[in-house]
Amino acid sequence: MRLWNGWGNENSELTMELSDGLRALLEALVGPGTSLNQATLKEVISKVPASRLDDHSLIKTDPETRVRHARGQSLPDWLDMHSGNVDTFPDGVAFPESAEQVRELLAYSKENNLVVIPYGGGTSVVGHINPMKSDRPILTIDMGKMSSLLSIDTESQLATFGAGTPGPVVEETLKKHGYTLGHFPQSWELSTLGGWVASRSSGQQSLHYGRIENMFAGGIIETFNGTMTIPTIPASSAGPDIREMILGSEGRIGIITEVTVRITPMPEEEKFQVVFFPSWQVGINAARELIQQRVALSMVRLSNPLETTSLLYMGAGSDSSGVIALEKSLSEKGIGEGKVMMTFGVTGSARHCETVYELAIDHCAALGGFVDQSGLGENWVHGRFRAPYLRDPLGAEGYIVDTMETAVDWSKVSEAAENIEEAIRMALDDEGEQVHAYTHLSHVYGQGSSIYTTYLFRIGESFELGKNRWMKLKKAGADQIVAHGGTISHQHGVGTDHKNYLTAEKGEFGIAAINSLCQQFDPYGQMNPGKLLPCLLYTSDAADERSSVDLGGRRI
């Protein structure tokens, strides 16, 4: 069973503890943490009000099920659950096992004017699945029981799954047929195929396999106005692509029940390698040239100087002798203070991997790179999904870790990365609080790159204070993203946390167009209201028929 207030499953072998060395490092970076009393599941359950739903055979209304579906995995969600300061819950949770049951639930919701929240793996970090205060009862529809392979077409390399299928089941099932999807976001263990489509997800090896929009070939979406089937067509010039209506729709249009994806034969070989460069700018140039010269890598990740040092020493724990020896060796080769670490991957046939690996190494060496021989690349791949597990032990010691991410053109990367990180680092200066922030480029493209900033700070004397500090940090980073013309989200989606910044990216006409699209499928604003879009009023006659509808916190 999943943890009710944190990342992962109960009794998971992947739980983490802070070493004495890491604890000392945290105190040196931001000061000593303050452990706070944390609410129990029983205490939060006691706050759940009576359900406003009538009995229904497909809907559970017991308090514990409602608590377990009340929040996702954002930092505010973590703070709410651990403080016990939770004041909104779904009135019920359904677990459909078929598209017919989804249609039945939508018909029931339409007849009774319910708010509906689609729920995949519950891993949202921007508020996608959180119920918002509403005069209407709220029904969460958990797709977890629709989680199997429905069909596979090896000749066309297509596979169809239930939308609630989590990453490990997708890969285990495809592997039996000799295939992989190759989509590995950091949430891979717990997130679902339908959630990846709805939030426009990006996997760690997207250079080779593509982002989810490259994999999404078709599917079925159940809406309040009927069933929409998107056929699988290799390519088309017949008008706008209907798939784009669903990609990134975040539950505002309907519930994805089936997803057909483009699959790839299992690679013969895969290798991950770390290369050190003497400076951030040299590293950026290397990453840009590798992708623009179309070196067929499966991933490129570049850590800035502060992240490079932080990762090396945090990973070393109490014994930093290996890091010290590595730094001495690098220094002898002219790679000292200001060094950066690039991790790249090659994936495919043995011959392909050998050729591309040598090409990448030669390119990096020509730019002054030094190839690590200690196995740091393999260490990265073995720990690629572990970072989310660090939040709970950090929180228990009084520390918070969170991230911000965007993507900009290459001409803006250096300045944007520096300014975003600096704004976050200085956002708590008025409180005299230190913030440890560092950055990496997580995905690279011919046009530009993502920028992913991690920041760590102290919760303070109360969970409320910790949330207030997070809000200041989030705003500081988001304002800089907008100022540099970046997307408000490269891979996490919009939800509630980013929606007020979306107009800067889409423009007023664009927001109006998306709003009209949602209205076409959801005329009364029942599908996940308050998410994705800034608060807008529906102006259609259909909306006027229900003047009491709550649209993301505003009344009409």
Side-chain angles (χ1 to χ4, degrees):
M1 181 178 289
R2 293 277 293 277
L3 290 172
W4 70 276
N5 64 349
W7 186 267
N9 296 312
E10 295 176 0
N11 304 316
S12 171
E13 297 179 357
L14 293 176
T15 54
M16 300 176 68
E17 295 182 0
L18 300 188
S19 65
D20 291 340
L22 180 53
R23 190 176 291 107
L25 180 61
L26 291 170
E27 290 188 11
L29 291 172
V30 298
T34 302
S35 298
L36 301 175
N37 291 328
Q38 300 187 8
T40 65
L41 176 58
K42 183 178 180 180
E43 290 170 342
V44 178
I45 286 175
S46 70
K47 296 187 175 186
V48 180
S51 174
R52 294 173 290 180
L53 293 175
D54 296 329
D55 290 341
H56 190 288
S57 61
L58 296 177
I59 301 174
K60 292 186 176 182
T61 58
D62 64 282
E64 182 171 340
T65 299
R66 292 163 63 193
V67 167
R68 290 181 177 274
H69 290 79
R71 295 292 183 272
Q73 296 293 332
S74 73
L75 198 281
D77 295 341
W78 188 94
L79 292 167
D80 285 350
M81 286 300 207
H82 283 76
S83 67
N85 184 27
V86 187
D87 58 1
T88 52
F89 304 87
D91 290 277
V93 182
F95 299 85
E97 299 180 17
S98 66
E100 290 76 17
Q101 290 186 352
V102 172
R103 288 194 291 271
E104 179 182 345
L105 288 164
L106 288 180
Y108 172 77
S109 300
K110 188 173 184 178
E111 179 181 355
N112 292 278
N113 193 24
L114 309 184
V115 167
V116 173
I117 300 176
Y119 185 103
T123 60
S124 166
V125 293
V126 292
H128 290 115
I129 58 173
N130 297 9
M132 303 176 73
K133 289 185 178 180
S134 173
D135 292 339
R136 296 178 289 178
I138 301 168
L139 173 64
T140 292
I141 299 182
D142 186 323
M143 301 297 291
K145 291 188 176 181
M146 296 178 67
S147 59
S148 62
L149 177 68
L150 302 177
S151 66
I152 186 167
D153 176 354
T154 56
E155 188 173 7
S156 305
Q157 294 191 348
L158 296 171
T160 301
F161 288 88
T165 311
V169 175
V170 169
E171 289 300 329
E172 289 165 10
T173 306
L174 290 177
K175 187 176 182 180
K176 295 175 183 177
H177 297 272
Y179 289 88
T180 179
L181 180 62
H183 192 70
F184 299 109
Q186 197 168 71
S187 62
W188 173 77
E189 300 164 296
L190 306 175
S191 54
T192 64
L193 190 52
W196 297 342
V197 172
S199 62
R200 215 176 181 104
S201 173
S202 184
Q204 293 169 342
Q205 290 168 263
S206 59
L207 267 182
H208 181 71
Y209 296 106
R211 287 165 55 96
I212 196 65
E213 57 259 41
N214 306 116
M215 302 173 177
F216 179 44
I220 298 176
I221 300 90
E222 299 294 342
T223 82
F224 278 117
N225 278 350
T227 301
M228 181 166 66
T229 299
I230 302 175
T232 58
I233 299 172
S236 171
S237 66
D241 189 346
I242 300 299
R243 295 176 313 128
E244 289 290 341
M245 295 182 183
I246 303 306
L247 285 158
S249 58
E250 301 191 359
R252 293 301 306 266
I253 287 176
I255 297 179
I256 303 167
T257 57
E258 292 185 15
V259 179
T260 301
V261 287
R262 300 177 177 110
I263 56 177
T264 305
M266 287 291 296
E268 290 180 8
E269 192 172 305
E270 201 160 54
K271 182 178 179 65
F272 297 90
Q273 179 65 56
V274 164
V275 179
F276 290 95
F277 292 95
S279 72
W280 177 232
Q281 193 56 56
V282 172
I284 290 175
N285 292 342
R288 177 176 55 80
E289 291 182 20
L290 281 168
I291 186 65
Q292 290 181 344
Q293 293 184 14
R294 302 183 184 275
V295 179
L297 300 171
S298 58
M299 63 155 286
V300 172
R301 170 176 171 150
L302 178 70
S303 298
N304 75 354
L306 191 52
E307 177 169 286
T308 296
T309 301
S310 297
L311 292 181
L312 289 175
Y313 279 92
M314 286 182 179
S318 57
D319 182 10
S320 59
S321 59
V323 178
I324 293 172
L326 173 63
E327 289 200 314
K328 181 180 179 181
S329 175
L330 290 171
S331 181
E332 292 172 351
K333 295 171 175 62
I335 302 177
E337 186 177 353
K339 65 182 173 297
V340 299
M341 177 171 64
M342 175 189 286
T343 305
F344 70 79
V346 290
T347 301
S349 68
R351 183 176 180 181
H352 167 87
C353 287
E354 180 182 3
T355 302
V356 173
Y357 178 79
E358 293 299 328
L359 182 61
I361 291 297
D362 290 345
H363 184 86
C364 291
L367 291 172
F370 174 75
V371 179
D372 170 68
Q373 301 294 338
S374 67
L376 289 175
E378 293 306 310
N379 290 346
W380 175 84
V381 75
H382 290 310
R384 65 199 297 190
F385 305 121
R386 292 184 65 89
Y389 291 91
L390 193 57
R391 176 174 279 175
D392 283 330
L394 283 171
E397 299 279 347
Y399 299 100
I400 284 176
V401 63
D402 202 32
T403 61
M404 285 206 73
E405 42 87 39
T406 184
V408 299
D409 297 339
W410 280 115
S411 59
K412 301 176 182 178
V413 165
S414 183
E415 181 181 2
E418 180 181 350
N419 290 349
I420 293 166
E421 184 181 299
E422 185 66 13
I424 291 172
R425 186 179 295 114
M426 297 176 62
L428 301 183
D429 281 359
D430 62 330
E431 300 181 36
E433 283 294 312
Q434 300 178 70
V435 179
H436 185 61
Y438 49 79
T439 299
H440 69 264
L441 309 185
S442 61
H443 298 75
V444 295
Y445 307 90
Q447 177 183 338
S449 174
S450 67
I451 299 171
Y452 198 98
T453 299
T454 301
Y455 53 96
L456 187 146
F457 61 102
R458 298 194 297 177
I459 297 175
E461 302 303 316
S462 69
F463 289 106
E464 182 180 7
L465 177 57
K467 183 180 285 190
N468 289 337
R469 287 176 173 174
W470 173 84
M471 291 172 66
K472 291 165 69 174
L473 291 160
K474 186 78 169 179
K475 183 179 187 305
D479 286 348
Q480 284 298 314
I481 287 172
V482 171
H484 287 84
T487 176
I488 197 58
S489 180
H490 169 266
Q491 63 204 67
H492 290 166
V494 178
T496 57
D497 292 354
H498 297 154
K499 67 179 183 178
N500 291 333
Y501 296 93
L502 196 63
T503 303
E505 179 174 337
K506 307 298 183 186
E508 292 185 3
F509 283 149
I511 293 293
I514 299 170
N515 188 60
S516 296
L517 178 64
C518 295
Q519 193 174 342
Q520 168 68 27
F521 295 96
D522 176 30
Y524 301 121
Q526 294 173 257
M527 289 299 309
N528 215 13
K531 317 298 170 58
L532 178 64
L533 292 169
C535 293
L536 293 173
L537 299 181
Y538 283 2
T539 58
S540 71
D541 293 338
D544 291 339
E545 293 174 11
R546 294 189 179 184
S547 60
S548 64
V549 173
D550 174 3
L551 295 174
R554 295 184 66 175
R555 311 286 298 176
I556 62 173

